[in-house]
C-alpha cells in the first residue's frame, strides 16, 4: 500500500492505493470518524487479486479539501468529489464500495451516475429512501438516530469528543476497531478544524433532490449489532434496488464491519465483484 495525492478542482485528496495500475478499479469510501485506513484489510485482499484499489480520505478528512462551512458538505458536493477523484484517476467505470457515511455517498453516486458505477457494495448504511421511511415509521430507528440531532445542534460537540485524550471520540469505536487505527483516527481528527469538518457532514442539511431506485448490481451488508442502523431500514433497502441485489446479514457483529469482520466482508465483496463484470 502506498500513499497517493489526488488533485481536483475542490483540492487535493489524500488516499491509500495498492494493486496493479492496469487492474480493475475499485474505490472505497470511509465513514465517520475514520479515514481510508479503515479499508486496509480490504485493500490488501483486493490488490493481491489484481484489483487497483484507491481509498481516499474524503472531504474534510483530507487537509487539502477542508472547507469551513457546513453547506460545503452537502451530498451533491460529496458525490461530485467521487466523480472528480475517479476522473483524475482516469477511471471511466469503477466498482464502488462505501461504509457508514461513505455508504450514503455511494448510494447517491450510484443513483446519479449509474453508467460509471460497475457494481455497488454498501456496508451498514441502508438506502437513503429506506432509512427515511424507517425514521418516519419505526421508533427503534428514530431512537438509534437521535445522536445525530445532538451532533448537529450542539456547538460544543467537538470539545466534548476531544476532552480527556478524546475519551468520548474513542468510545464511538466501541472497542471493535484496532487500537492502532483508533490512535491514527484520533490523531488526525485532533488537527485544527478536522473534527468540525467531519461533523459538518451531519450539519450540512438534507440532500438536494431525491434518490430513486438503484439499477446497478448491488451488495448490501448489514450486521445485527449495528447501533446506528436497525432491521427496519435494512430490510426495506431491497425495495429501493431495481438491479441485481444481494442482502447479507452478519450476526453478532457491530457497526464496524470492515475492521471487525474483514474475512466475512472480503469474501462477500470478492464474490460480488466476480459475479458482475468479469
Amino acid at each position: 500500500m502506498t500513499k497517493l495525492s489526488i488533485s481536483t478542482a475542490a483540492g487535493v485528496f489524500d488516499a491509500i492505493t495498492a494493486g496493479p495500475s492496469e487492474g480493475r478499479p475499485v474505490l472505497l469510501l470511509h465513514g465517520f470518524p475514520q479515514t481510508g485506513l479503515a479499508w486496509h484489510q480490504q485493500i490488501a485482499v483486493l490488490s493481491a487479486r489484481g484489483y487497483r484499489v484507491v481509498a481516499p480520505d474524503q472531504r474534510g478528512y483530507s487537509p487539502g479539501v477542508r472547507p469551513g462551512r457546513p453547506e460545503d458538505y452537502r451530498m451533491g458536493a460529496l458525490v461530485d468529489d467521487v466523480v472528480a477523484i475517479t476522473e483524475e484517476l482516469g477511471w471511466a467505470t469503477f466498482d464502488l464500495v462505501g461504509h457508514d457515511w461513505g455508504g450514503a455517498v455511494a448510494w447517491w453516486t450510484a443513483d446519479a451516475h449509474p453508467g460509471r458505477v460497475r457494481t455497488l457494495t454498501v456496508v451498514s448504511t441502508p438506502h437513503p429512501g429506506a432509512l427515511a421511511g424507517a425514521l418516519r415509521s419505526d421508533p427503534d430507528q428514530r431512537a438509534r438516530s437521535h445522536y445525530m440531532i445532538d451532533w448537529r445542534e450542539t456547538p460544543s460537540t467537538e470539545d466534548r469528543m476531544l476532552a480527556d485524550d478524546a475519551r468520548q471520540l474513542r468510545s464511538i469505536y466501541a472497542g471493535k476497531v484496532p487500537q492502532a487505527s483508533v490512535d491514527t483516527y484520533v490523531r488526525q481528527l485532533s488537527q485544527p478544524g478536522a473534527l468540525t469538518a467531519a461533523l459538518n457532514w451531519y450539519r450540512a442539511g438534507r440532500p438536494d433532490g431525491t434518490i430513486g431506485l438503484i439499477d446497478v448490481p448491488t451488495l448490501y451488508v448489514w450486521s445485527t449489532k449495528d447501533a446506528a442502523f436497525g432491521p427496519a431500514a435494512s430490510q426495506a433497502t431491497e425495495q429501493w434496488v431495481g438491479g441485481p441485489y444481494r442482502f447479507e446479514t452478519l450476526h453478532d457483529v457491530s457497526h464496524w464491519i470492515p475492521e471487525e469482520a474483514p474475512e466475512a466482508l472480503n469474501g462477500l465483496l470478492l464474490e460480488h465483484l466476480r459475479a458482475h463484470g468479469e
Side-chain angles (χ1 to χ4, degrees), residues 125-150:
T125 314
H127 184 286
L131 180 59
L135 287 170
R136 289 192 299 268
S137 62
D138 181 41
D140 173 66
Q141 185 57 59
R142 286 198 295 271
R144 291 171 186 260
S145 298
H146 185 75
Y147 71 94
M148 291 190 287
I149 299 174
D150 176 51

Side-chain angles (χ1 to χ4, degrees), residues 72-130:
D72 291 323
Y73 295 83
R74 296 186 70 85
M75 186 56 69
L78 304 175
V79 172
D80 287 346
D81 288 343
V82 173
V83 173
I85 287 170
T86 53
E87 287 182 345
E88 180 64 23
L89 293 170
W91 295 357
T93 60
F94 54 95
D95 298 285
L96 183 57
V97 184
H99 172 248
D100 188 76
W101 263 111
V105 176
W107 285 117
W108 282 92
T109 302
D111 176 69
H113 302 280
R116 299 199 60 196
V117 178
R118 188 198 310 267
T119 69
L120 174 66
T121 300
V122 180
V123 185
S124 302
T125 314
H127 184 286

